[in-house]
């Protein structure tokens, strides 16, 4: 009986030692599978689609507004380098250039203010004075006034600026300067009125 108890005790100690080391008679450690070469596939980067072409923002945009084509202009037989123009069917003549070709002295003044610009063009010839004045605010022409020797000129006021040239209707020259304006296929001709003859005064005799 004593011998059998010792054998059982020894068997229990061996079983305990085996449990502590993780080794049992019927248990084997699980191995981690090594990936096969076929499974080790490196993902290729996706091919980027070409970006859509965009307009170059540095290129100026074309404007639909075009400068009217100049029309040949003669004033008292002299060629005016700045031609006439047409806008919405209305014949326009360069104010200063035409007047100077007809013998008028032109003086232009400009006064800059906070919200607007005041402009005045004065024409003088043979004691007569024509004054054209207007204001420009927000690229809009306002308060146009035409006077000759202090009297208003009875013509519909219209001023168009193309570049640095001021244009007025041809009727302005017809009324303000009593000029003749003829439009032909070759261009426009403006002529000054014939000078008025001063009546001779009879000398009184005694």
């Amino acid at each position: 009986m004593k011998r059998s108890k010792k054998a059982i005790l020894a068997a229990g100690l061996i079983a305990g030692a085996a449990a502590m080391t993780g080794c049992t008679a019927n248990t084997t450690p699980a191995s981690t599978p090594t990936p096969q070469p076929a499974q080790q596939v490196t993902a290729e980067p996706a091919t980027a689609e070409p970006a859509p072409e965009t307009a170059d923002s540095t290129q100026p945009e074309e404007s639909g507004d075009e400068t009217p084509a100049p029309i040949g202009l003669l004033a008292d037989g002299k060629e005016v380098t700045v031609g006439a123009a047409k806008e919405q069917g209305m014949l326009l003549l360069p104010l200063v250039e035409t007047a100077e070709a007809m013998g008028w002295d032109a003086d232009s003044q400009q006064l800059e203010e906070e919200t607007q610009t005041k402009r005045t063009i004065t024409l003088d010839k043979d004691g007569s004075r024509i004054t054209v004045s207007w204001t420009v605010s927000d690229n809009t022409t306002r308060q146009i006034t035409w006077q000759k020797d202090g009297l208003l000129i009875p013509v519909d006021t219209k001023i168009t600026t193309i570049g640095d040239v001021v244009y007025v209707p041809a009727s302005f020259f017809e009324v303000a300067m009593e000029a003749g304006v003829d439009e032909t296929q070759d261009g426009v001709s403006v002529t000054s009125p014939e000078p008025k003859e001063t009546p001779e005064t009879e000398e009184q005799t005694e």
Side-chain angles (χ1 to χ4, degrees):
M1 291 293 291
K2 291 180 180 179
R3 187 175 182 176
S4 61
K5 287 182 179 181
K6 289 181 179 181
I8 294 172
L9 180 60
L13 293 174
I14 294 172
M20 292 178 64
T21 57
C23 297
T24 60
N26 298 326
T27 305
T28 57
S31 60
T32 303
T34 302
Q36 299 298 321
Q39 296 175 345
Q40 298 178 357
V41 179
T42 303
E44 296 181 358
T47 303
E49 296 182 359
E53 296 182 358
T54 56
D56 187 359
S57 59
T58 60
Q59 296 296 329
E61 296 180 0
E62 294 183 1
S63 174
D65 297 334
E66 297 182 356
T67 302
I71 303 172
L73 175 61
L74 294 176
D76 284 345
K78 303 174 185 177
E79 182 179 359
V80 182
T81 56
V82 179
K86 272 196 173 182
E87 186 177 88
Q88 297 179 354
M90 177 181 291
L91 180 61
L92 304 174
L93 303 180
L95 176 59
V96 173
E97 291 78 4
T98 306
E100 288 181 337
M102 297 170 63
W104 291 77
D105 294 326
D107 177 67
S108 181
Q109 296 181 354
Q110 181 170 310
L111 177 62
E112 298 287 346
E113 297 184 352
E114 292 183 359
T115 59
Q116 63 183 10
T117 301
K118 289 185 177 181
R119 295 194 61 183
T120 302
I121 294 177
T122 304
L123 307 174
D124 291 289
K125 181 181 179 182
D126 298 336
S128 292
R129 169 167 290 189
I130 297 174
T131 303
V132 179
S133 61
W134 71 97
T135 61
V136 179
S137 177
D138 296 331
N139 294 326
T140 304
T141 303
R142 299 183 174 91
Q143 301 176 359
I144 304 173
T145 303
W146 293 347
Q147 291 184 343
K148 180 177 182 180
D149 299 332
L151 301 177
L152 293 177
I153 300 173
V155 178
D156 291 337
T157 55
K158 178 180 177 63
I159 287 179
T160 299
T161 302
I162 303 177
D164 295 331
V165 181
V166 177
Y167 285 81
V168 296
S171 57
F172 171 87
F173 290 88
E174 293 176 325
V175 176
M177 301 179 181
E178 299 180 358
V181 179
D182 296 320
E183 187 176 1
T184 65
Q185 294 180 351
D186 298 330
V188 179
S189 176
V190 183
T191 55
S192 298
E194 294 293 333
K196 297 179 180 179
E197 295 182 359
T198 303
E200 296 180 358
T201 56
E202 297 181 358
E203 295 181 359
Q204 295 182 353
T205 58
E206 295 180 359

